[in-house]
Amino acid sequence: MEYRLLGRSGLKISTVTMGTMTFGGLGWAKQVGNLGVSEARRLVDLCLDAGVNLIDTANVYSAGVSEEIIGEILGGKRKDGLLLATKARFRMGEGPNDVGSSRQHLIAACEASLRRMKTDVIDLYQLHEWDGLTPLEETMEALDTLVRDGKVRYIGCSNFSGWHIMKALGVSEKDKRQRFVSQQIHYTLEAREAEYELLPITVDQGLGVLVWSPLAGGLLSGKHRRDQAAPPGTRQFAGWTEPPIRDETRLWNIVDTLVSIAAGRGVSAAQVALAWLIGRKPVTSVIIGGRTEAQFKDNLAAAELRLSAEERKRLDDVSVPSIIYPYWHQLYGSDRLSQADLVLLAPHVS
């Protein structure tokens, strides 16, 4: 297992992170999984034995039950070097202040997460979504307070737009607050929109990147094929609708390429898709999740898979995002592009 620095911090995390949305199975999360404590414990041990040092969850996963299961597994005592990440922002109660990124909600949500996970500190505390109603000065001050109080060690964001991130970083600098060390984003061979703004910002501002749902909800696992119904037991079979697919032909062309490369290497399509992400320079770690040991073992093996330049080119070519404005115009000045610009534009610069 390789370990990479998380943004500009001194914290190293494994290139594979364990995701826990499958823990609990309450409400909407039932479509993803419903693992109890004993099943989840086996999977946690499997990941730790493979060298994973970060477990990621969120308070909204099964209405807090995912965090509670982690707390039961750890029993108030973490194994050496284990890091915990969670998220807050979504509604966790019926009250008017039980949602959002206000000081009131974030501090209360953090304290509740600490209790559920039976821990004294959260290593990475992330805003799960943008809150356009709360002033960023209030949000960043609340996160800064949590760090200064010793309840949180590092802060990050998830699902922000590019301008949201830059505004937050600007507020942190202006007010001398803690700044985000990372962003958690959706980024796959099928969905490369992050290359327009989020990944260039990552390079320019020194952020870490954690990728959620790196197999596109299982669509890139090789189990789903062109003109075939969703197999029983998969998320799509259960009615899961993430991510939105805007071009089915493109999706199946990507899957065909994954399956072809996987067959030539004697590995799964899922491993190839994950290895492509791990090999993308701005990516720090991919978050894997599942319901079975077989799924986790297969995904964990991607940490050791190295794709050839030719294999990477095949995947890049079949999935390359269209160059929308203003990026196609910026190619006229390609002699003055930075490394951040080239995250998107490098394949188009002659």
Side-chain angles (χ1 to χ4, degrees):
M1 182 69 66
E2 180 187 351
Y3 301 89
R4 297 174 179 171
L5 287 171
L6 186 62
R8 290 180 182 170
S9 78
L11 186 70
K12 283 193 171 185
I13 67 170
S14 46
T15 54
V16 175
T17 292
M18 182 181 192
T20 61
M21 193 187 289
T22 55
F23 292 7
L26 294 184
W28 57 265
K30 188 181 298 183
Q31 298 174 79
V32 181
N34 59 350
L35 300 177
V37 175
S38 60
E39 300 163 303
R41 179 178 282 112
R42 287 196 298 271
L43 297 178
V44 168
D45 288 341
L46 178 68
C47 288
L48 297 184
D49 289 345
V52 170
N53 74 340
L54 178 62
I55 296 177
D56 179 78
T57 187
N59 61 0
V60 76
Y61 295 168
S62 292
V65 175
S66 175
E67 291 184 330
E68 290 176 357
I69 289 174
I70 291 171
E72 287 300 310
I73 292 171
L74 300 182
K77 184 179 180 180
R78 294 199 212 178
K79 295 186 178 181
D80 289 344
L82 177 60
L83 305 170
L84 292 179
T86 192
K87 301 178 282 292
R89 150 61 174 85
F90 288 111
R91 180 166 291 282
M92 289 297 290
E94 298 302 318
N97 294 308
D98 292 334
V99 64
S101 298
S102 67
R103 181 187 298 109
Q104 171 71 26
H105 183 240
L106 285 181
I107 291 178
C110 179
E111 292 172 345
S113 290
L114 289 168
R115 288 193 297 271
R116 284 191 287 264
M117 293 193 290
K118 299 181 180 180
T119 186
D120 295 328
V121 64
I122 294 165
D123 299 289
L124 178 61
Y125 198 52
Q126 303 155 104
L127 299 179
H128 205 163
E129 180 64 272
W130 171 250
D131 176 0
L133 299 182
T134 302
L136 269 170
E137 289 78 5
E138 177 179 340
T139 298
M140 302 314 294
E141 187 274 337
L143 294 173
D144 189 79
T145 296
L146 290 170
V147 173
R148 287 187 286 105
D149 287 350
K151 297 174 181 177
V152 167
R153 291 202 171 112
Y154 299 94
I155 59 172
C157 63
S158 183
N159 306 311
F160 275 34
S161 300
W163 73 268
H164 296 156
I165 295 175
M166 291 307 299
K167 186 174 181 179
L169 293 174
V171 167
S172 294
E173 182 176 356
K174 173 177 66 73
D175 295 341
K176 295 181 170 53
R177 305 291 187 193
Q178 294 290 321
R179 78 192 301 270
F180 295 143
V181 298
S182 63
Q183 56 172 323
Q184 188 174 139
I185 64 173
H186 182 62
Y187 179 44
T188 71
L189 274 162
E190 189 282 324
R192 293 177 59 177
E193 301 96 330
E195 293 177 20
Y196 292 129
E197 291 287 337
L198 298 182
L199 293 183
I201 287 170
T202 287
V203 173
D204 186 70
Q205 296 296 312
L207 298 175
V209 169
L210 292 89
V211 177
W212 62 264
S213 197
L215 295 177
L219 289 174
L220 303 180
S221 66
K223 297 177 182 177
H224 300 270
R225 301 303 304 274
R226 194 189 307 263
D227 299 325
Q228 295 181 13
T234 62
R235 293 186 187 186
Q236 277 67 33
F237 185 82
W240 193 248
T241 57
E242 288 185 358
I245 302 302
R246 297 182 174 87
D247 186 340
E248 281 200 26
T249 298
R250 177 175 175 274
L251 166 65
W252 300 127
N253 289 343
I254 292 169
V255 171
D256 289 344
T257 305
L258 283 170
V259 171
S260 173
I261 292 173
R265 296 291 295 269
V267 299
S268 70
Q271 287 179 39
V272 174
L274 293 171
W276 179 85
L277 276 173
I278 293 171
R280 297 290 287 177
K281 191 169 253 186
V283 172
T284 312
S285 185
V286 296
I287 302 172
I288 63 169
R291 295 182 295 273
T292 68
E293 289 189 28
Q295 289 172 325
F296 271 97
K297 286 180 178 178
D298 182 78
N299 289 182
L300 286 166
E304 308 301 326
L305 179 61
R306 300 292 181 267
L307 300 177
S308 69
E310 187 273 335
E311 290 167 336
R312 297 196 69 84
K313 186 176 187 306
R314 288 176 62 189
L315 293 168
D316 289 342
D317 289 348
V318 76
S319 65
V320 65
S322 59
I323 303 302
I324 60 176
Y325 179 81
Y327 308 109
W328 57 259
H329 202 282
Q330 291 170 6
L331 286 171
Y332 297 145
S334 60
D335 60 322
R336 303 285 290 182
L337 296 177
S338 70
Q339 289 302 307
D341 298 314
L342 292 172
V343 170
L344 173 69
L345 297 177
H348 306 277
V349 176
S350 58

